[in-house]
Amino acid sequence: MLWKFSAYGFLKNLRFFEPFMILYFLEIGLSYLDIGLLVSFRAVLINVLEIPSGALSDLYGRKNAMILSLLSYIASFILFAMSSSLLPLFPAMAFFAVGEAFRTGTHKAMIFSWLSKNGKIGAKTKVYGFTRSWSQTGSALSAVIAAAIVIFFREYQWVFIFSIVPYLFGIWNIATYPSYLNTRVLKKTSIRDLFAYLFRVLKSSIRKKELRRLIVQSTGFNSVFDVTGNFLQPVLKAQAGLFLAGFFASEQTNVAAASGAVYFVIYLLSAVAARKAHLVADRAGSPGKATGLLVLSAAVLLIVLSAATFYESAAVSIGGFIVYYMLHNIWSPLIVTQYDDCTEDGEQATVLSIESQTKSAGVLILAPLAGIIADEAGIPAMFLTFSILMIILTAYSLREQRTKKG
């Protein structure tokens, strides 16, 4: 099963559009504010669907939820490929949001259920880090293939079409999971049962101090990363593509080659980082202390990225982004295992969906803000603004650690 779990992440991350999605939006005439509005629209829908989707997966079957998620992604890829202006991108984002909502937390909950059934729950940080490393390996391979697709076909739309193929294999892989992983908390349910279960878990999450701390930390870190990480693509276009000027006939080919190479390195090192996440926790003394240090490191990196993009230092910008992505892939296994420590068995998917919903709420607010700052004051000012948010989150994390000790 460990290899099937890893195969899911590997196939799911063969998103050939990922290194070029923002560039595609810019190419068809969208502003950074337009892109921020699209991202916010997706966040709104995820917010609406997130907690009910987690509850539905717990109540009606996790395998069923995962298959629905992958089918929704495929529908979104088709619509993205057919769009050439802002308005048609909204339904594409809607299907993408459905895919995100029904996937988030569900597969992690399946992994934890398998570990619990097989008496291996003590190794959850190491196991989740291992499966996430395969996800990042898929992303690394995806970057190289994506660059080849753009160079060969010379149009960004093709990266969406080719992304359909691994998702079809992903559906087949999920279908082969054992039936006991299609967990249902209740055999027979009604709408009333669904909402009663949902509010019971939500109430429990709010009352538990440790869960509240985790939600604040993960919301802050993940939403800031999701918003600021997207700016790697325009930075690559403005700076890294210059390194290859003269190697290829067109600017698009230069940018595609540079993007493929940089994303390959990012995801390859991120895979290593995810696999070693448990060592970071051991060295820090606990997962909680490790996550506090990661928040501080992210704040420092955003300041570095602000300076590097202002002075147009491609090497420092790319190096900063590489470390930034590695921090995020160390963060995820650590924060997810802390959630599992605080969650009742059978409620993991719902609690993890609550966490993801709060992150979506953060993205909803921060994405347009990032777009406005980038359009009006430039990308360096945007990075500097978000570094301040990370510093505030660092102060909160340190205070909570001291309270926990006391």
Side-chain angles (χ1 to χ4, degrees), residues 141-372:
L141 178 61
S142 176
V144 175
I145 297 173
I149 291 171
V150 172
I151 291 170
F152 184 81
F153 289 96
R154 300 183 183 278
E155 291 182 349
Y156 290 128
Q157 285 91 334
W158 283 100
V159 292
F160 295 102
I161 296 297
F162 278 96
S163 295
I164 294 172
V165 177
Y167 275 63
L168 292 174
F169 281 104
I171 291 172
W172 172 80
N173 181 54
I174 293 291
T176 64
Y177 281 18
S179 58
Y180 70 81
L181 289 180
N182 200 31
T183 305
R184 299 184 183 192
V185 178
L186 300 177
K187 301 301 180 183
K188 294 182 179 180
T189 56
S190 63
I191 297 297
R192 182 177 178 181
D193 293 329
L194 171 63
F195 280 96
Y197 172 77
L198 171 60
F199 284 113
R200 176 170 61 81
V201 178
L202 183 59
K203 184 178 179 181
S204 174
S205 299
I206 294 172
R207 284 184 171 180
K208 289 182 180 179
K209 182 178 180 181
E210 188 65 13
L211 271 178
R212 289 202 309 271
R213 176 186 68 81
L214 291 172
I215 288 171
V216 171
Q217 284 184 316
S218 58
T219 298
F221 189 95
N222 286 325
S223 58
V224 169
F225 175 83
D226 282 6
V227 171
T228 55
N230 285 333
F231 284 85
L232 171 59
Q233 293 177 35
V235 168
L236 281 172
K237 183 177 181 180
Q239 298 180 20
L242 296 176
F243 284 146
L244 296 180
F247 279 79
F248 300 104
S250 69
E251 180 190 13
Q252 187 182 63
T253 302
N254 288 326
V255 172
S259 298
V262 171
Y263 272 99
F264 175 78
V265 173
I266 282 176
Y267 290 127
L268 203 61
L269 292 179
S270 293
V272 175
R275 193 171 295 193
K276 301 297 183 182
H278 66 287
L279 298 179
V280 175
D282 292 343
R283 184 66 61 88
S286 71
K289 290 181 180 178
T291 50
L293 291 172
L294 290 175
V295 175
L296 176 60
S297 300
V300 173
L301 271 174
L302 286 171
I303 295 172
V304 171
L305 286 171
S306 176
T309 51
F310 180 80
Y311 290 106
E312 298 184 351
S313 173
V316 177
S317 296
I318 293 169
F321 270 110
I322 290 173
V323 177
Y324 196 25
Y325 273 74
M326 289 177 69
L327 289 180
H328 186 250
N329 283 279
I330 295 171
W331 170 275
S332 293
L334 296 180
I335 205 76
V336 166
T337 53
Q338 289 179 75
Y339 271 110
D340 189 61
D341 289 338
C342 302
T343 306
E344 298 295 330
D345 189 39
E347 296 179 354
Q348 294 99 329
T350 306
V351 171
L352 288 170
S353 290
I354 292 171
E355 178 265 347
S356 187
Q357 190 198 39
T358 58
K359 182 197 78 172
S360 298
V363 172
L364 167 64
I365 297 168
L366 297 180
L369 175 63
I372 292 170

Side-chain angles (χ1 to χ4, degrees), residues 17-95:
F17 60 86
E18 206 158 52
F20 302 104
M21 195 166 191
I22 304 300
L23 297 182
Y24 169 58
F25 289 159
L26 293 172
E27 184 182 72
I28 63 176
L30 272 61
S31 67
Y32 285 119
L33 177 56
D34 292 333
I35 295 170
L37 291 174
L38 275 174
V39 173
S40 291
F41 172 73
R42 181 182 66 190
V44 169
L45 291 183
I46 292 175
N47 261 319
V48 172
L49 296 171
E50 192 71 65
I51 296 179
S53 68
L56 284 168
S57 70
D58 280 340
L59 295 173
Y60 292 102
R62 292 171 180 171
K63 283 176 60 177
N64 299 336
M66 291 300 304
I67 290 172
L68 173 62
S69 168
L70 295 177
L71 287 172
S72 296
Y73 278 126
I74 289 172
S76 76
F77 299 159
I78 294 170
L79 291 174
F80 276 125
M82 295 171 60
S83 301
S84 58
S85 60
L86 178 61
L87 288 180
L89 290 171
F90 282 101
M93 278 295 190
F95 277 105

